[in-house]
Amino acid sequence: MAEPIYAIFEEREELMVSPTGGNPTLRLAHFLKPSVSSIDELPPPFLSAEPTVSELEKLPLKVHFKGWRRTDENWKMWVASLHSKYQSIWKESGIYEAIMCSKYSICRHQDLILGLAEKWCPKTNTFIFSWGEATVTLEDMMALGGYSVLGESVLSPLVTKEMEEIHEILLEANRRVSLSFTASQHKWLEHFMGSGSKIEHEAFLSYWLSKFVFPLCEYRIERQNFPIAILMARGTRIALAPAVLSSIYTDLGLLKEKLVASTKLDTEEVLNLSAPFQLVQLWAWERFPALRPSPISISQCEPRPARWSKLKKVSIENVRLAIDTAEESFQWRPYAIAANHNWLFPKFYEEKEQWVSVDAALDKELESFALCLRVCELLGLHCIQQYLPHRVAMQFGIDQDLPGHVARYNMSQGIAWSHYNRSIGDSKLYIPPRLFEADVTMRYFEWWKQSMSAQKDAIKNFVTRPRDSRRIPRVYSGKMENYNVFVPPSSFVECFKMDTVKETKLLGTLSEKRLAIDVKPLPVSVSQKMSHSTADDGVPEKDLLMILEAKDIQSEGLMGEAKKILTDVTVREVEHPKNIVVHVKENDGKSSSYCKTEMPGLELEARISRLERAVAELKAARANN
């Protein structure tokens, strides 16, 4: 029997392995469609012509997050004054939790956002980390924004004469309040809050949409939000989640484009972004323990973002390094972990796996989860973006296989919405256990390693231009231009031979994961030297000498191999920015080469810190012997 064309899941027996490596296991696994069975069926990686930027703080690019709106006491008072009268309508239209979320303020950590944007791939709308692929999903829009994935399009028309009349009243109020071309949000709130006007509720929702949901760079009430507000005021559920996510994807792509282009700027540029980037930061705080403050304990009735309200950012010396070394600590399913002892899990977070029939009686929470899992087009107010959850299946507790190609359905707004709003093709939905740790297929594991190696050409010979304080700012706020970017991954190259070598040489090991020091007492010495020279293009070159001497080094066996005693290790720095080649001579006489490419701009202190940790491990091993 042929599978339905719109099926979400497939179940089959596969050889599975942890994404961090280990012994593979043959077991029954579940995957998101579409997937392919061979690396040969995948398109070649889209390598970026420009590697990631080197020093974020020295970029000739000033980024303003105009959509990052903080709440104020007047807004909280307006919410409280209408809560008892309209809360049932808010729940019916699927915006109750989203309105409650708007009462909390999130302090911005700009370096974190820029560090994540470096990893963004607009071709796939995912972050390409050295250790895996992840993204902001529709599930995140539900959990962190309180937005619904179910309902009508944000571009739905008004359907009754009464609605049209309310629309005309709002337009007239917009003209009257503005006294110019646009009505400021502050004037709008002052005019309608507590007024008792027959359109106060619609005005309230228009303000909320304009400030928190679909903010623009200008702080005005957007007339395009009036029809949405009118529909929601009458209990119509609007699918805000895909529209908000579409705006986030669009601005992440624009930010990545400008970060790359800024390395060649001769004038300072100003970039204004209107998407609600606080949701991107919350996404990161939920998943990167090393990058977040300690969350606040919240009550059962509070939304999840309340955990992070008004918390100051943590001091992180090197955001890039923290992101690149997060493989072991990254939380693939943070919402499966209780925010507090009274946390109520959605119905798609059960202790045991389930197969749920898809019929008219399907629970709305389970239907919402199904929409989070399938590829689609995300229709926004001003953009259409592709949603590819099959590339990040582990974020849903689903095993990961090679992601198949997905055709676009973005020829028009109507086609895009029809693709999003299509029927579920599966007869049953698979709901994984809440605490299940998903794996990847062996072919995916091998593909990922090959893709990492392919990145080496994209990061060679990268040059950063020094910032000129005399530059005249240019302001940019517009649509993203098309350009090629890489598909996995972006900052880590492993296990390939290289020939061009600089004079820098290290004896011992600089590895963080693959090499482990033997427990025997070892003599250790660390020295460092910095010399500066200038290349033809005027960019300072740096040579580094750090020496860590060790007699025997024990290597972890890869994918079940036996551990090996390495009798000689030479580490050399290759080209610019920082490519480290490790030539290993094993005790059986065999030789092999490994290469680790560090992120451009990785500070000397960070490398010294890793050497110091290696020295500490040596001392600890000697003490335990």
Side-chain angles (χ1 to χ4, degrees):
M1 179 178 176
E3 291 187 65
I5 190 172
Y6 291 137
I8 300 173
F9 301 97
E10 54 182 326
E11 181 184 51
R12 61 178 182 271
E13 197 173 65
E14 286 285 356
L15 194 61
M16 306 299 296
V17 66
S18 167
T20 60
N23 295 321
T25 303
L26 185 66
R27 66 169 175 84
L28 187 66
H30 303 87
F31 305 101
L32 296 181
K33 296 173 70 69
S35 63
V36 295
S37 58
S38 171
I39 296 177
D40 297 333
E41 298 179 54
L42 290 175
F46 298 96
L47 294 179
S48 175
E50 317 283 347
T52 50
V53 293
S54 62
E55 295 182 46
L56 294 175
E57 67 276 7
K58 294 184 179 180
L59 281 177
L61 179 68
K62 186 70 173 179
V63 182
H64 295 297
F65 294 96
K66 296 287 189 176
W68 196 306
R69 305 294 173 80
R70 298 175 66 91
T71 190
D72 55 45
E73 292 305 315
N74 284 335
W75 170 246
K76 293 179 183 178
M77 291 171 58
W78 203 3
V79 172
S81 67
L82 300 181
H83 182 272
S84 60
K85 183 176 182 180
Y86 294 111
Q87 63 171 314
S88 60
I89 295 179
W90 297 345
K91 291 176 181 178
E92 183 181 355
S93 57
I95 58 174
Y96 178 83
E97 189 169 340
I99 291 176
M100 296 301 107
C101 287
S102 68
K103 298 193 302 177
Y104 300 94
S105 295
I106 306 300
C107 299
R108 184 164 64 247
H109 187 174
Q110 185 141 326
D111 285 350
L112 173 55
I113 299 298
L114 296 180
L116 288 171
E118 284 187 309
K119 306 292 187 181
W120 186 251
C121 174
K123 287 289 184 180
T124 59
N125 283 334
T126 58
F127 298 109
I128 309 297
F129 303 116
S130 59
W131 37 265
E133 190 171 6
T135 196
V136 186
T137 69
L138 287 172
E139 182 187 18
D140 298 302
M141 294 298 98
M142 292 194 300
L144 301 176
Y147 301 123
S148 175
V149 300
L150 303 175
E152 303 298 323
S153 163
V154 291
L155 301 179
S156 296
L158 301 177
V159 294
T160 67
K161 183 179 179 180
E162 184 259 349
M163 290 183 182
E164 293 286 356
E165 291 174 351
I166 295 296
H167 188 227
E168 287 299 323
I169 294 174
L170 286 171
L171 290 174
E172 176 59 30
N174 183 277
R175 289 189 289 267
R176 187 171 63 253
V177 170
S178 65
L179 299 178
S180 59
F181 292 103
T182 59
S184 72
Q185 294 170 0
H186 177 69
K187 288 182 179 180
W188 186 269
L189 182 145
E190 283 187 337
H191 182 79
F192 283 106
M193 179 179 169
S195 65
S197 167
K198 69 175 184 178
I199 62 167
E200 182 181 358
H201 189 209
E202 288 85 352
F204 167 88
L205 294 176
S206 298
Y207 177 93
W208 172 69
L209 289 166
S210 298
K211 182 170 184 177
F212 299 106
V213 185
F214 303 118
L216 296 176
C217 293
E218 303 84 7
Y219 297 90
R220 69 170 189 254
I221 298 299
E222 175 56 41
R223 290 179 293 178
Q224 192 171 0
N225 293 327
F226 290 161
I228 305 174
I230 293 169
L231 290 168
M232 292 191 302
R234 282 143 188 81
T236 301
R237 182 178 290 263
I238 302 294
L240 295 177
V244 174
L245 187 56
S246 184
S247 71
I248 290 175
Y249 282 179
T250 298
D251 274 8
L252 274 170
L254 179 59
L255 178 55
K256 173 62 182 285
E257 177 188 358
K258 292 303 173 182
L259 284 174
V260 172
S262 67
T263 61
K264 295 183 177 181
L265 286 177
D266 293 323
T267 59
E268 186 176 82
E269 187 171 8
V270 177
L271 175 62
N272 295 322
L273 300 173
S274 61
F277 267 84
Q278 68 271 21
L279 294 176
V280 178
Q281 181 169 302
L282 289 177
W283 178 91
W285 277 1
E286 289 281 356
R287 286 168 168 78
F288 292 90
L291 299 176
R292 70 190 184 200
S294 298
I296 303 169
S297 178
I298 61 176
S299 64
Q300 181 177 321
C301 62
E302 291 183 290
R304 195 171 182 101
R307 308 171 71 211
W308 313 106
S309 181
K310 297 182 179 180
L311 292 180
K312 301 298 182 181
K313 67 178 184 180
V314 295
S315 178
I316 303 171
E317 183 178 353
N318 192 318
V319 171
R320 284 197 184 103
L321 182 62
I323 291 175
D324 289 340
T325 57
E327 179 178 14
E328 297 292 340
S329 61
F330 185 77
Q331 301 293 312
W332 288 100
R333 301 194 77 195
Y335 315 128
I337 304 172
N340 56 50
H341 296 297
N342 297 319
W343 185 257
L344 294 179
F345 291 106
K347 295 180 180 179
F348 47 85
Y349 284 133
E350 297 292 344
E351 300 303 319
K352 297 181 179 180
E353 70 174 14
Q354 305 176 69
W355 282 99
V356 181
S357 297
V358 177
D359 52 32
L362 180 64
D363 184 87
K364 293 300 181 183
E365 285 189 355
L366 298 181
E367 183 181 358
S368 298
F369 184 64
L371 266 60
C372 294
L373 301 179
R374 69 179 186 181
V375 298
C376 65
E377 299 287 341
L378 302 172
L379 176 62
L381 286 177
H382 310 286
C383 54
I384 302 173
Q385 290 287 339
Q386 193 174 34
Y387 179 63
L388 303 174
H390 69 307
R391 302 186 69 93
V392 295
M394 289 188 291
Q395 289 185 221
F396 307 102
I398 308 292
D399 295 311
Q400 182 69 57
D401 200 0
L402 295 174
H405 173 72
V406 179
R408 294 302 306 269
Y409 290 84
N410 60 342
M411 290 73 75
S412 70
Q413 293 174 334
I415 292 174
W417 176 250
S418 295
H419 189 249
Y420 176 87
N421 202 39
R422 66 192 188 273
S423 300
I424 298 174
D426 303 73
S427 59
K428 290 187 176 182
L429 295 179
Y430 173 70
I431 311 297
R434 179 169 66 89
L435 300 179
F436 176 71
E437 295 185 6
D439 293 324
V440 302
T441 60
M442 275 299 301
R443 56 178 166 265
Y444 181 91
F445 186 81
E446 293 298 327
W447 172 69
W448 193 261
K449 290 197 301 181
Q450 292 179 22
S451 299
M452 287 191 289
S453 297
Q455 180 62 14
K456 65 181 183 295
D457 293 331
I459 58 177
K460 292 177 64 177
N461 303 319
F462 177 66
V463 175
T464 302
R465 295 177 182 268
R467 182 171 179 175
D468 187 345
S469 59
R470 296 172 295 176
R471 289 171 176 156
I472 301 174
R474 291 187 300 166
V475 179
Y476 183 88
S477 181
K479 294 183 179 180
M480 178 182 63
E481 299 175 1
N482 293 327
Y483 69 107
N484 287 333
V485 293
F486 58 84
V487 172
S490 65
S491 62
F492 187 87
V493 186
E494 189 177 62
C495 302
F496 61 87
K497 298 233 179 153
M498 301 188 70
D499 299 322
T500 308
V501 180
K502 278 191 176 183
E503 61 189 59
T504 304
K505 184 176 181 181
L506 289 78
L507 302 177
T509 177
L510 194 60
S511 172
E512 298 172 0
K513 294 178 66 65
R514 295 299 183 196
L515 301 178
I517 303 300
D518 189 25
V519 296
K520 297 178 181 179
L522 300 174
V524 179
S525 67
V526 178
S527 66
Q528 49 190 328
K529 177 183 70 175
M530 284 293 293
S531 65
H532 297 266
S533 60
T534 303
D536 294 338
D537 56 6
V539 178
E541 293 182 339
K542 299 179 181 180
D543 293 325
L544 171 68
L545 175 63
M546 293 184 285
I547 300 176
L548 175 62
E549 297 177 344
K551 289 182 177 179
D552 294 323
I553 298 178
Q554 181 174 296
S555 170
E556 296 178 3
L558 178 63
M559 297 297 297
E561 294 179 358
K563 292 186 177 180
K564 302 174 181 178
I565 301 297
L566 310 178
T567 58
D568 180 51
V569 178
T570 301
V571 183
R572 293 183 287 173
E573 185 177 325
V574 181
E575 301 224 352
H576 185 74
K578 293 294 175 225
N579 296 328
I580 305 298
V581 175
V582 184
H583 296 284
V584 179
K585 183 179 180 181
E586 301 168 9
N587 58 335
D588 57 3
K590 297 179 179 179
S591 297
S592 56
S593 297
Y594 301 89
C595 175
K596 176 176 179 181
T597 301
E598 299 182 5
M599 286 294 297
L602 185 62
E603 291 88 344
L604 170 62
E605 290 81 359
R607 295 197 293 276
I608 295 175
S609 176
R610 289 202 299 275
L611 284 175
E612 290 174 343
R613 288 199 298 270
V615 173
E617 291 177 3
L618 288 170
K619 292 180 179 179
R622 182 164 51 191
N624 294 331
N625 189 27

